[in-house]
Amino acid sequence: MSQSFGRPPIDPPDSPVSARYGRMFPWKADPLDPADLAAMERLATKMQAPENEKGRDNPAIPAAYTYFGQFVDHDLTFDLVSTLEAQTDPKSLWNFRTAALELDSIYGSGPAAAPYLFERHDRTLFKLGAAQASYEASPEKDRLQRDLPRTDDGTAIIADPRNDENLFVNQLHVAFLQLHNQLIEQFRRSGVELGQIFLNAQRALRRHYQWVVLHDYLPKIAGQNVIDDVLDHGRCLYDPGDHCKDPFIPIEFAVAAFRFGHSQIRDRYSINSFGTGPTVDPAVIPIFSPHLEWPPFLRGYEGPRDSLRGGAVRERDVVDWRFMVGSTKSQRSLRIRPFLSGPLQNLPPETFRGGGPPDLALRNLKRSVSLQLPDALGIAAFVRQRTNRCELLTRDQLWAGEFAEARMKQVPLWFYVLREAQLLREGTKLGPVGARIVAEVLIGLLQKDPQSILNAGAGFEPFEAWKSSDGKFGLKELLDQAKPA
């Protein structure tokens, strides 16, 4: 093996700053030879989910967490520079998000620098958009604050345009806007000093969001034992010893481990019970449509939504989150495994930037090559060395069965993370390497944020009124509180 995975962490002089990317593991991959490049193309083809795939539903993770993960990713990373074709030094990439779980994809630069996000008559309140009326002429009050604010041509007026890529992330963004505005009104009624109302609402929303990430989302995807080990014994991969005091986003997290959620995406979902009755099932809507029309309900305005792509929302398209989380009938995410739903092999052009293939699997694999991510077997050995408790996959296990024809000398980290979840955790959560990378980065970002619930906010508890009847608080309870004012 060419990698020296026993090297010490990156030295402080080479540590990236908070608005850049960096490396978690201190070595680069060797260039791929033509045989490996050809095998990578075959691997992308093999990663299309088999037709009539059995046992694909994940009993442990409701479908809403797939899109909450995408929302978290948009809160942490935004790369506008790199390409799929050229090798890139991650330290040269500028991250257009802050490396903190602070909702800057929602708040942007704040009311002073981004006034277009806020109400003209009251800069403490976010603008919200009214859902377009259905053909049944819903009452005006039921349409208000159900969509993102938009320009006349339908462009969303938000801090991160990616949060209008699909209906679910759109509706998560709407929920956070609603929650902020509700907190503003709550603090006004409680007599908080005028100049502190916005800051109090922002801080409260950030801390509830961080609580969901740390105490609900991470346990589901990584396992509580991994989280406890990181909190109790410290980080051993992501900037151990805090050589770099400023946070940064490791590329191994951003372009590989945290992309595990792509395998959880279903090809279609039910979003609400609009138009259903005792003998009518909720409409099942594909994530993408071959028609590529915009907005996705343009064809037959009064009919079912054409797809779950982003764009203007009708009243009948508003997501009922009970269909996604919190109910015994909620849809499930798919198991974490090295397969992607068929529609992800042909992405609509507005969902990716800068050219390249429309196949999401191939795009992810090419991204890893362009950023010279190390061989995953070397990374796994490094993780085992640091944690002393990491099960490893062998090369033969990785390339067994349907993947035998795609055998590569250098194993892509993204593929390894998906394969170990499948073989070692039955796809219900991440395997040891993926879980450790994701947990260390998300917990590390909280530890490096002086205002987070692990520092200045230590001891924070969600509002009692926001908890469930049995005292729990997670994504379901957060979304339960998000309502039009």
Side-chain angles (χ1 to χ4, degrees):
M1 186 179 299
S2 61
Q3 290 83 357
S4 176
F5 54 82
R7 294 183 196 174
I10 298 173
D11 292 330
D14 294 324
S15 298
V17 296
S18 61
R20 293 192 184 277
Y21 294 88
R23 292 189 184 277
M24 176 179 279
F25 304 101
W27 66 87
K28 300 177 183 178
D30 297 326
L32 291 189
D33 60 31
D36 253 13
L37 288 171
M40 184 177 71
E41 301 254 357
R42 292 194 295 273
L43 176 58
T45 301
K46 296 291 184 181
M47 291 181 74
Q48 180 175 359
E51 289 188 19
N52 303 316
E53 182 185 3
K54 295 181 179 179
R56 65 178 193 162
D57 285 2
N58 188 338
I61 305 181
Y65 290 90
T66 303
Y67 293 94
F68 183 72
Q70 185 179 9
F71 179 87
V72 171
D73 178 66
H74 292 179
D75 187 35
L76 295 176
T77 66
F78 196 3
D79 167 23
L80 289 172
V81 178
S82 65
T83 70
L84 299 181
E85 306 303 330
Q87 290 190 342
T88 306
D89 180 353
K91 288 190 290 183
S92 71
L93 299 179
W94 189 264
N95 183 11
F96 286 81
R97 295 269 76 88
T98 56
L101 291 160
E102 62 177 8
L103 295 173
D104 81 321
S105 62
I106 297 289
Y107 286 99
S109 303
Y116 52 86
L117 299 177
F118 299 86
E119 293 286 358
R120 186 183 183 98
H121 70 278
D122 185 346
R123 295 297 190 205
T124 66
L125 295 173
F126 278 111
K127 290 178 181 175
L128 277 147
Q132 298 188 30
S134 71
Y135 67 95
E136 294 178 342
S138 299
E140 184 71 16
K141 64 181 179 62
D142 292 336
R143 297 177 47 228
L144 299 177
Q145 303 184 43
R146 298 286 189 168
D147 190 14
L148 301 170
R150 298 185 182 277
T151 61
D152 290 343
D153 67 358
T155 301
I157 306 171
I158 52 178
D160 191 326
R162 298 172 300 168
N163 281 1
D164 195 31
E165 281 180 353
N166 64 66
L167 182 64
F168 293 120
V169 178
N170 165 303
Q171 293 287 279
L172 280 171
H173 195 114
V174 168
F176 277 93
L177 300 182
Q178 291 171 339
L179 287 165
H180 170 89
N181 288 357
Q182 290 165 216
L183 287 166
I184 291 290
E185 299 302 335
Q186 178 178 323
F187 285 122
R188 279 187 177 139
R189 289 193 300 269
S190 63
V192 172
E193 181 184 344
L194 186 62
Q196 292 298 310
I197 289 175
F198 181 89
L199 295 177
N200 281 16
Q202 184 183 52
R203 180 168 57 244
L205 186 56
R206 283 173 171 170
R207 289 179 177 176
H208 282 86
Y209 163 62
Q210 291 172 1
W211 180 279
V212 172
V213 172
L214 182 61
H215 295 290
D216 185 23
Y217 177 67
L218 261 178
K220 281 184 170 61
I221 65 168
Q224 190 63 50
N225 60 327
V226 176
I227 297 159
D228 291 343
D229 189 57
V230 174
L231 290 172
D232 294 344
H233 302 108
R235 289 174 275 118
C236 58
L237 304 176
Y238 175 46
D239 194 22
D242 284 331
H243 291 282
C244 170
K245 295 298 181 183
D246 290 324
F248 68 97
I249 300 296
I251 56 169
E252 298 89 344
F253 168 87
V255 307
F258 204 50
R259 297 195 177 200
F260 75 90
H262 291 161
S263 72
Q264 295 181 295
I265 299 172
R266 308 183 72 88
D267 59 354
R268 56 194 64 232
Y269 295 86
S270 296
I271 60 172
N272 57 40
S273 57
F274 191 96
T276 64
T279 61
V280 181
D281 291 329
V284 180
I285 305 172
I287 56 173
F288 302 134
S289 165
H291 304 294
L292 296 180
E293 293 172 346
W294 199 265
F297 53 76
L298 183 64
R299 189 173 55 87
Y301 181 80
E302 297 179 357
R305 194 177 177 90
D306 189 59
S307 76
L308 296 175
R309 292 152 68 209
V313 175
R314 298 174 300 178
E315 187 272 334
R316 66 182 294 162
D317 300 326
V318 172
V319 173
D320 180 344
W321 288 109
R322 293 174 297 180
F323 280 64
M324 300 290 285
V325 65
S327 165
T328 56
K329 296 183 179 180
S330 297
Q331 296 158 106
R332 316 309 294 175
S333 69
L334 299 185
R335 292 179 188 263
I336 304 169
R337 74 268 191 259
F339 299 114
L340 273 62
S341 295
L344 299 178
Q345 281 203 318
N346 189 26
L347 299 173
E350 76 275 1
T351 61
F352 60 90
R353 173 190 55 82
D359 181 346
L360 182 57
L362 186 55
R363 293 184 68 83
N364 285 346
L365 295 168
K366 281 178 168 280
R367 180 77 65 194
S368 295
V369 172
S370 71
L371 289 163
Q372 298 175 276
L373 262 65
D375 175 54
L377 290 175
I379 288 176
F382 185 91
V383 173
R384 182 172 187 170
Q385 181 188 70
R386 289 297 178 92
T387 63
N388 297 316
R389 56 173 70 86
C390 178
E391 305 161 77
L392 301 182
L393 294 182
T394 66
R395 192 176 294 276
D396 287 342
Q397 285 177 301
L398 284 165
W399 301 118
E402 59 267 66
F403 299 110
E405 297 177 7
R407 191 181 184 101
M408 296 175 63
K409 287 180 287 187
Q410 294 192 52
V411 180
L413 179 58
W414 177 59
F415 174 72
Y416 185 97
V417 166
L418 299 180
R419 190 70 158 141
E420 69 165 2
Q422 178 193 38
L423 297 179
L424 301 179
R425 299 293 184 265
E426 297 183 332
T428 59
K429 61 184 176 181
L430 290 167
V433 173
R436 190 77 194 195
I437 292 173
V438 171
E440 287 212 12
V441 172
L442 293 181
I443 292 171
L445 293 175
L446 290 173
Q447 291 173 331
K448 288 170 175 285
D449 176 0
Q451 298 302 317
S452 80
I453 59 173
L454 295 182
N455 292 305
F460 166 80
E461 283 285 333
F463 297 148
E464 285 298 322
W466 287 22
K467 294 180 181 178
S468 65
S469 58
D470 57 358
K472 295 181 180 179
F473 182 78
L475 181 59
K476 174 193 178 298
E477 290 72 28
L478 183 77
L479 294 171
D480 282 347
Q481 294 300 318
K483 302 176 180 69

